[in-house]
Amino acid sequence: MNTYLEILSSSPMWIYISALALISAVAILISRYAYLRKKIKQEVAACAENHPSMQAGCSFSLPSKTLSAHFRLIKKLSRRYGVNLPVLMHLDDYWIQQLSARPRSALMQKLLQYSPDKALFPCFQAALGSSKRFEVLKDWIDKSGEFMVMGTIADSCAGRIFDGQKALPLIEPWKDELYEMTGDQRWTSRWFALRILLFDTGERSQKAIWAAFDDPSLQIRGMIAHSFQKTDATEGRLYEQLQDLLLNDPVYEVRSTARQRIEADLIDRYAVPSSLSHTQKLHLTELLNPEIQQDREYAFSLLDGKDDELMLEAARVLNRSGSLRRLFLQAFHEDHPSLKRSRHLLANAARVHCSDFLSALEESSNPGTLQIAADLLRSYGDRTHITTLLQRIRSFGDEQKQREPLRSIYLSAMETACLRGDDSSLALLRDELSSRKSDVQLHGHILPMLPAAHAHVYINTLFSFLYDSSYPNKQTLRSTLARLEPELTLPTLFDLIKSNRPEVSASTQEQALRLLCEIGIPYTLQHVLEHLPLMEIEQASRYAELLAQHFGESFQKRTIELLKTKDARLRSRLISALPQKYHPALKAQLLEAVQDAAPEVRSACAWTLVSTGDEEERRRCLPLIHDPVESVRISSARAFAIHAGAEYFDELKKVLESKNEMVPVQNSVIEGLIQSPYEESVDLLVRQIQRGGDLQAAALQALREKHSHKMISRLLEHIQTAESETRNRLLSAVRSMGDSAESVLETYLFEATHPLRSIAVEALESIGAVDAQIRHLTNRDPSVRREAAAFLFHAGTLSAYRGLVQAARDPDEEVRAYVVRALDALDSDRGRTILEELKKDPQRKIRTYTNWALERHQARRL
Amino acid sequence: MIPTSLPLEQLLTHIKPSGTLEHWAQAVCNITSLLSESSLTTFYRLPKTQINRGKKVSYLYLLAQTGHTTAPERVPSNAEFLQAAVGCEGAVLQNSPGGPFPQLLMNPDMQSGIAIVLSKKAPYQGLLIANYTAAYHYTGRTIELFEQIRTLVKHSPQASGGKK
């Protein structure tokens, strides 16, 4: 005893601790084991007391792993209570998981014993991996007495994937059953059988496989398309079957599988069929592969078509592949046919709402891209891209904005912003307009397009243009402002008209008033009439007419009231601007105003009554030509020169030839005569040229501006009879008239007997028209050469013929005919002089051509 | 356009390029003489230098002749009628001794003459001249004939062995 005690006392302390721990652990394990067994027994007993139909809902608190560890106990309890405890405890699910992770024969046996329906397929899959496990399955099959073993496995399989190739040798004894299953009504049976027979090369199996391409089940068609075992011999037929599925199968998954199989194994045979129905095209298009060039080309051909449905699919494919984006980014603006085609294709894509490619604007400043974007964004695509577009075109250099081809892109983008832009793009547009105020064409083009709905964005900028007296597009600006909501414009306009601030110039006030007239709101009438003096007289007349049209009776009533007021400036302007239809009603007031003390009122009366009044009124105004005040004389003389008939020209002649009259008054007569519609005005001007003196230059300048046929004819009459110096002066006036005189003179050219013909020809020669026509003889357009030949023939002068004989070898028959007629003319008395001149021409070429043409011409007449 | 009223077949038979240049030129002279009823018809070969550069004087040498009167052995390439014929690309006429191109009359007995240049682009190139002893012999019909010959020669296929 002592020895034991000594041994114990001499042992180290840790041994005691370890021993104690071990004993404790064992005690814990034993107590846990006992607890678990007790717990299982209690829960099983509780479950067993339920009605059998309620047992499926029994719950067990212990995890499947723990329960599985006590399988012996569970097995024993199952027998005791006569219930399938492993199934009730869901141990079968746990075992199936274990089986798939680590296949074991023992597990298979347990599963097949307790849960064969659920576990048959997992066991079948586990059996495929080992002959020993397959034996387990086979034993179970043998013992089960199943009539259709494969059918039962197929039901358990339910279309799940398994390795048919491994299964084929194992199920050899049941192969006939498989053949029968290929005709089973349940797709799962057919699927199971075909999955195995796919790997069988037997004729019977192959027939079943080929027939499966037309199987009613989409799963089977898809499986066959995916897993058919291709050989060299079957490749062609397989491709046909797959193509048939791709084009005609109504199920997308099947078509997609067929397409993937073609791409994986039969890409060399792949070709887009030339003739397809609409549905087939649609099926093909939705699965086009943008990585394949043939598919991209086909998609582009569909995008170029007219069918929106196909276009949508094609656009989606090309969008996915980035082809549309590349097309958009690579557009070349100088190659018009290519640009046109790119725009057409991209517009088609955008039309079916595939416009993602427009986001590439963020990274491109290519002019072709910008051009296409400007065109497309007018109708399609995200409006925010318009802002990007505006940013791009704003970054152009000043010179680029002015010159083609970027100029048209620049304008086009601005138009797009007007048509479809949001506030942010319109703000950019506003800033651009503001920074390029001197670009007349830009403002003239864009201002009328500004959207009224977004006026709040740019209204202040438009008013800043109105304040700017140097702004060139005032008329366009007014019409733009006039179509905006009056709430936005009227307050500012009233402020401007009534303003005394020095920073508001008279021209700004005038523009504001004109704008107010153009807006045409009745309750602005009094404001406008009272402020008419802000306008120049011509403008006031125009706007008074406009007001009269808008407001009729109110206008007349207000005008009569204002004519009774004291202010001379207002009265004179009202008289000047008064529309003619109100003259009879206001005749008394107007005649009275001829005697008005204020010169400006008298001037206005002279202008109004002479321009629109009757003979009596004009006579009443005649003394104003000699009014003591110069400004009145100027105004009335000018009015008589423009509007009064020839019977008043004697009076004007007196003014022009009076030594006592002031030159400004005389010049106003001459300026008026420019606008006179009477031919006698030419006589009066020519007389001033003949007289010489201070007015000669002004009269000559006035003649240059009288371009009409009637006036030029009158002038030619004077040229015909004038002495040399005057004639030269008058010819110089004709010369300076340019093209308008030339067209009038040409009319005389073709009238052989017209008395003015010769002088017209002389004038034409002097203005270089003959030389121009000789140059036209070398034009490549025969019609131009014909016209030139006709002109030169009718001109009939030496210089004309010099040119014409050179056209003797012209390939055009009509041109040569004119040469022949000219040569005939040379043979006459009239042309002999010219002929001699031509024969002696200093240019050898002219001489040679004349001789050559003449000899030939004479020979032909023999 | 070649008028069909003229003896096209007859012309084509004779001016079809074959044999040597001398043989062909003689055939052309014969048929031209026959159809234009000329007293003297000659064919001058174009020089290698450009004929329309007056300063560079060279000559066209007589290659074939139909008619017994004399014809100059050579014609200067800056002769005015030749310049006109080249420049105008048509037939040049001198229908009387007082006409504009006296050099076109090959001897003093001749009163009227006509000439045409067979184009540089033709298989055979040269100057064809016809003369007659009376004035005003040549008419519009003769002009058409000469210009027809020019067109036919210009569009004849290249002969195998007779070029220049």
Side-chain angles (χ1 to χ4, degrees):
Chain A
M1 186 66 184
N2 288 335
T3 313
Y4 285 115
L5 287 171
E6 280 173 13
I7 292 167
L8 283 172
S9 61
S10 63
S11 299
M13 194 62 183
W14 63 271
I15 290 180
Y16 299 115
I17 295 169
S18 299
L20 193 61
L22 186 62
I23 291 163
S24 303
V26 169
I28 289 167
L29 283 173
I30 290 169
S31 61
R32 177 173 166 75
Y33 179 72
Y35 166 76
L36 289 174
R37 284 179 68 88
K38 188 179 172 188
K39 180 92 177 165
I40 290 168
K41 282 178 186 172
Q42 282 172 350
E43 287 183 352
V44 168
C47 184
E49 283 174 6
N50 284 337
H51 188 273
S53 64
M54 303 290 284
Q55 285 169 351
C58 290
S59 61
F60 296 91
S61 58
L62 295 173
S64 298
K65 189 177 177 183
T66 310
L67 291 171
S68 184
H70 295 272
F71 176 64
R72 279 190 186 172
L73 174 64
I74 289 167
K75 189 174 171 184
K76 190 173 155 190
L77 291 170
S78 279
R79 281 200 203 118
R80 183 187 298 167
Y81 294 111
V83 290
N84 190 345
L85 278 177
V87 172
L88 290 176
M89 291 174 164
H90 304 293
L91 276 177
D92 52 349
D93 293 334
Y94 174 71
W95 289 336
I96 287 169
Q97 275 181 11
Q98 292 289 304
L99 188 67
S100 65
R102 188 167 158 239
R104 282 173 290 155
S105 300
L107 211 49
M108 277 176 67
Q109 282 168 340
K110 278 196 273 190
L111 278 166
L112 289 170
Q113 184 182 353
Y114 289 98
S115 182
D117 291 344
K118 194 187 280 188
L120 189 52
F121 180 69
C123 290
F124 173 72
Q125 275 200 305
L128 295 179
S130 144
S131 55
K132 188 182 166 191
R133 288 197 291 272
F134 192 77
E135 283 302 319
V136 174
L137 181 67
K138 199 174 167 189
D139 281 349
W140 179 84
I141 290 170
D142 291 342
K143 287 174 189 168
S144 68
E146 287 278 351
F147 178 64
M148 292 287 283
V149 179
M150 287 299 118
T152 309
I153 298 173
D155 284 347
S156 175
C157 170
R160 281 177 283 176
I161 301 285
F162 66 94
D163 189 342
Q165 195 167 12
K166 282 185 182 173
L168 184 64
L170 300 174
I171 52 85
E172 194 62 35
W174 299 280
K175 207 169 175 182
D176 284 342
E177 196 180 330
L178 285 182
Y179 290 137
E180 283 174 29
M181 284 166 65
T182 57
D184 198 293
Q185 288 187 352
R186 291 165 300 177
W187 74 268
T188 47
S189 298
R190 297 198 303 277
W191 195 92
F192 182 81
L194 290 165
R195 179 89 195 156
I196 298 169
L197 293 176
L198 265 175
F199 302 95
D200 185 26
T201 52
E203 192 180 342
R204 204 171 161 192
S205 300
Q206 286 300 307
K207 273 187 182 171
I209 299 299
W210 285 118
F213 277 105
D214 295 321
D215 195 280
S217 163
L218 70 101
Q219 288 88 347
I220 291 173
R221 293 198 304 278
M223 183 266 286
I224 294 294
H226 179 269
S227 305
F228 186 93
Q229 297 301 298
K230 180 187 75 151
T231 63
D232 289 347
T234 58
E235 192 177 293
R237 191 175 170 189
L238 174 62
Y239 177 73
E240 283 171 18
Q241 290 290 353
L242 290 172
Q243 192 183 52
D244 183 58
L245 289 179
L246 172 63
L247 296 176
N248 299 315
D249 201 288
V251 181
Y252 175 79
E253 288 86 343
V254 178
R255 294 198 299 273
S256 175
T257 308
R259 171 82 208 197
Q260 286 165 9
R261 184 70 199 277
I262 288 172
E263 282 183 25
D265 295 330
L266 298 160
I267 194 66
D268 293 343
R269 285 182 175 266
Y270 174 65
V272 175
S274 55
S275 167
L276 293 173
S277 69
H278 179 266
T279 310
Q280 287 174 329
K281 281 182 185 172
L282 208 56
H283 286 168
L284 179 64
T285 312
E286 68 185 345
L287 289 165
L288 288 176
N289 183 350
E291 301 299 319
I292 298 172
Q293 185 181 352
Q294 195 181 163
D295 281 3
R296 288 198 301 274
E297 286 171 5
Y298 184 63
F300 271 118
S301 76
L302 293 178
L303 194 60
D304 198 15
K306 291 179 179 166
D307 188 313
D308 284 358
E309 204 173 5
L310 293 172
M311 215 181 273
L312 171 63
E313 291 301 337
R316 287 178 58 197
V317 169
L318 293 170
N319 207 27
R320 262 202 322 271
S321 69
S323 298
L324 291 181
R325 192 182 174 91
R326 279 195 295 281
L327 184 68
F328 181 53
L329 287 174
Q330 290 167 6
F332 183 43
H333 66 292
E334 288 177 12
D335 181 3
H336 289 280
S338 129
L339 184 70
K340 194 175 165 189
R341 179 163 167 72
S342 300
R343 178 166 42 207
H344 170 68
L345 292 172
L346 293 169
N348 280 352
R351 190 153 61 81
V352 292
H353 305 293
C354 278
S355 57
D356 292 353
F357 59 85
L358 284 168
S359 61
L361 262 179
E362 298 280 355
E363 60 194 67
S364 174
S365 294
N366 170 25
T369 303
L370 299 181
Q371 176 69 71
I372 290 177
D375 292 344
L376 298 191
L377 283 167
R378 286 181 194 187
S379 311
Y380 317 110
D382 186 350
R383 285 163 197 260
T384 55
H385 295 316
I386 299 176
T387 307
T388 314
L389 177 65
L390 265 284
Q391 285 166 346
R392 292 279 169 272
I393 58 118
R394 284 202 74 193
S395 65
F396 287 174
D398 276 353
E399 199 170 332
Q400 290 176 318
K401 287 176 184 176
Q402 287 291 344
R403 286 193 185 171
E404 290 298 347
L406 295 188
R407 171 74 171 177
S408 57
I409 296 170
Y410 174 70
L411 288 177
S412 182
M414 306 269 263
E415 284 169 19
T416 304
C418 290
L419 294 171
R420 217 166 147 255
D422 54 14
D423 280 2
S424 68
S425 55
L426 283 166
L428 288 174
L429 174 67
R430 172 200 65 202
D431 296 345
E432 184 64 12
L433 287 172
S434 188
S435 64
R436 297 186 63 79
K437 277 194 284 192
S438 58
D439 192 336
V440 177
Q441 194 198 358
L442 171 70
H443 281 246
H445 189 66
I446 297 299
L447 255 53
M449 299 177 80
L450 286 171
H454 295 267
H456 56 277
V457 178
Y458 54 79
I459 184 78
N460 291 334
T461 305
L462 294 188
F463 274 118
S464 76
F465 297 158
L466 197 71
Y467 299 142
D468 184 351
S469 58
S470 64
Y471 180 71
N473 288 70
K474 283 279 166 56
Q475 189 178 344
T476 315
L477 175 66
R478 288 199 309 276
S479 59
T480 305
L481 283 165
R483 66 183 167 80
L484 302 181
E485 285 297 322
E487 285 81 0
L488 292 170
T489 51
L490 283 185
T492 312
L493 292 176
F494 283 132
D495 279 353
L496 285 173
I497 291 167
K498 294 169 190 259
S499 173
N500 290 323
R501 285 175 288 154
E503 64 268 24
V504 179
S505 68
S507 75
T508 305
Q509 285 186 313
E510 186 205 348
Q511 291 297 330
L513 187 62
R514 287 168 71 174
L515 180 52
L516 210 52
C517 292
E518 285 168 10
I519 291 173
I521 296 174
Y523 44 83
T524 61
L525 178 61
Q526 190 69 24
H527 290 287
V528 174
L529 287 176
E530 286 180 4
H531 291 89
L532 269 188
L534 287 173
M535 292 189 199
E536 291 297 322
I537 188 158
E538 283 82 4
Q539 298 296 343
S541 302
R542 214 182 113 224
Y543 284 97
E545 190 75 45
L546 196 66
L547 292 169
Q549 279 173 15
H550 281 313
F551 309 124
E553 281 184 20
S554 306
F555 175 81
Q556 186 178 340
K557 194 177 156 195
R558 302 280 177 91
T559 306
I560 291 171
E561 286 172 7
L562 287 170
L563 280 175
K564 290 175 187 166
T565 59
K566 298 171 189 169
D567 191 77
R569 187 162 155 262
L570 175 60
R571 279 186 294 131
S572 74
R573 191 49 47 90
L574 275 173
I575 290 169
S576 307
L578 200 62
Q580 193 180 355
K581 66 178 180 179
Y582 294 104
H583 286 188
L586 299 168
K587 187 173 178 178
Q589 285 94 327
L590 291 174
L591 289 175
E592 193 183 328
V594 173
Q595 309 285 335
D596 200 285
E600 54 196 308
V601 176
R602 293 205 300 280
S603 292
C605 270
W607 180 263
T608 305
L609 291 175
V610 173
S611 61
T612 58
D614 54 23
E615 284 307 308
E616 186 204 339
E617 289 165 343
R618 283 182 181 165
R619 272 200 302 279
R620 293 280 291 272
C621 292
L622 203 52
L624 293 177
I625 291 181
H626 306 290
D627 194 277
V629 180
E630 185 183 331
S631 66
V632 179
R633 294 205 302 280
I634 288 174
S635 171
S636 51
R638 186 179 163 84
F640 274 100
I642 296 174
H643 301 292
E647 60 269 28
Y648 294 94
F649 281 9
D650 279 343
E651 205 63 39
L652 295 176
K653 194 170 136 191
K654 282 181 198 166
V655 174
L656 289 172
E657 294 177 9
S658 167
K659 289 178 182 172
N660 298 323
E661 188 51 277
M662 307 290 283
V663 172
V665 179
Q666 291 171 328
N667 277 336
S668 73
V669 172
I670 288 175
E671 283 165 18
L673 287 174
I674 293 173
Q675 296 175 50
S676 170
Y678 302 101
E679 291 157 277
E680 288 82 356
S681 60
V682 174
D683 303 344
L684 210 49
L685 292 169
V686 170
R687 186 177 163 78
Q688 298 314 309
I689 293 167
Q690 285 168 331
R691 283 184 69 236
D694 295 342
L695 297 179
Q696 191 181 58
L700 202 56
Q701 181 60 38
L703 272 180
R704 284 176 186 145
E705 293 179 37
K706 294 186 86 68
H707 295 144
S708 71
H709 192 285
K710 195 167 68 171
M711 300 299 170
I712 291 174
S713 300
R714 190 74 162 202
L715 186 56
L716 288 179
E717 286 173 20
H718 284 288
I719 293 173
Q720 209 171 15
T721 56
E723 45 81 27
S724 169
E725 196 178 338
T726 307
R727 180 192 174 90
N728 289 339
R729 286 205 172 95
L730 297 180
L731 275 174
S732 76
V734 175
R735 265 200 299 277
S736 59
M737 286 180 192
D739 292 345
S740 54
E742 194 175 324
S743 60
V744 175
L745 293 170
E746 271 181 33
T747 59
Y748 293 114
L749 199 64
F750 295 92
E751 292 179 37
T753 56
H754 199 284
L756 293 177
R757 186 181 179 282
S758 60
I759 192 69
V761 170
E762 188 184 338
L764 279 168
E765 278 207 304
S766 73
I767 63 178
V770 170
D771 296 335
Q773 294 295 340
I774 290 172
R775 284 193 292 278
H776 287 174
L777 284 173
T778 56
N779 193 295
R780 65 177 178 181
D781 181 356
S783 64
V784 175
R785 297 202 305 277
R786 280 176 211 152
E787 277 180 23
F791 179 96
L792 293 170
F793 168 69
H794 285 103
T797 61
L798 173 62
S799 61
Y801 276 30
R802 282 187 78 220
L804 198 53
V805 290
Q806 296 182 65
R809 49 179 285 252
D810 194 286
D812 186 76
E813 197 174 338
E814 203 174 317
V815 175
R816 290 202 307 275
Y818 278 112
V819 179
V820 170
R821 288 170 67 189
L823 293 169
D824 276 336
L826 288 178
D827 222 6
S828 66
D829 290 340
R830 179 177 153 252
R832 200 145 289 139
T833 322
I834 295 176
L835 177 62
E836 291 309 318
E837 291 288 338
L838 286 171
K839 281 183 173 176
K840 288 187 273 180
D841 198 281
Q843 271 194 44
R844 183 181 174 190
K845 192 178 172 189
I846 301 289
R847 292 198 307 273
T848 306
Y849 274 48
T850 306
N851 285 325
W852 177 79
L854 262 177
E855 281 294 308
R856 282 169 64 93
H857 177 55
Q858 285 165 357
R860 281 180 196 280
R861 292 198 322 196
L862 287 174
Chain B
M1 186 63 72
I2 300 166
T4 49
S5 59
L6 287 171
L8 267 182
E9 282 183 23
Q10 209 177 343
L11 266 177
L12 275 169
T13 317
H14 289 87
I15 64 171
K16 185 179 171 189
S18 61
T20 63
L21 178 57
E22 286 78 7
H23 287 142
W24 175 80
Q26 191 57 57
V28 171
C29 284
N30 292 343
I31 189 66
T32 308
S33 177
L34 184 69
L35 293 173
S36 64
E37 297 172 349
S38 298
S39 311
L40 176 61
T41 310
T42 54
F43 185 91
Y44 290 88
R45 184 178 177 164
L46 283 185
K48 285 179 182 173
T49 51
Q50 297 237 338
I51 61 164
N52 56 352
R53 289 182 183 168
K55 289 176 185 173
K56 217 174 201 176
V57 179
S58 59
Y59 297 91
L60 286 80
Y61 292 92
L62 184 65
L63 197 64
Q65 174 178 347
T66 303
H68 297 296
T69 50
T70 56
E73 281 301 313
R74 59 187 193 178
V75 172
S77 64
N78 62 354
E80 189 137 347
F81 79 90
L82 187 53
Q83 294 298 312
V86 171
C88 302
E89 296 178 4
V92 184
L93 242 78
Q94 166 88 350
N95 248 342
S96 68
F101 305 116
Q103 280 180 293
L104 191 48
L105 303 179
M106 287 181 281
N107 64 51
D109 296 333
M110 299 300 154
Q111 301 282 306
S112 52
I114 183 167
I116 192 134
V117 171
L118 302 183
S119 159
K120 277 185 75 183
K121 290 176 185 171
Y124 295 131
Q125 300 165 20
L127 172 67
L128 182 64
I129 305 178
N131 278 192
Y132 193 71
T133 47
Y136 301 105
H137 174 70
Y138 297 113
T139 63
R141 194 177 162 77
T142 325
I143 296 173
E144 279 180 26
L145 170 70
F146 269 65
E147 290 182 351
Q148 199 174 40
I149 290 171
R150 175 190 162 86
T151 309
L152 289 170
V153 170
K154 186 175 175 180
H155 295 104
S156 293
Q158 181 80 43
S160 57
K163 192 182 175 195
K164 289 200 284 185

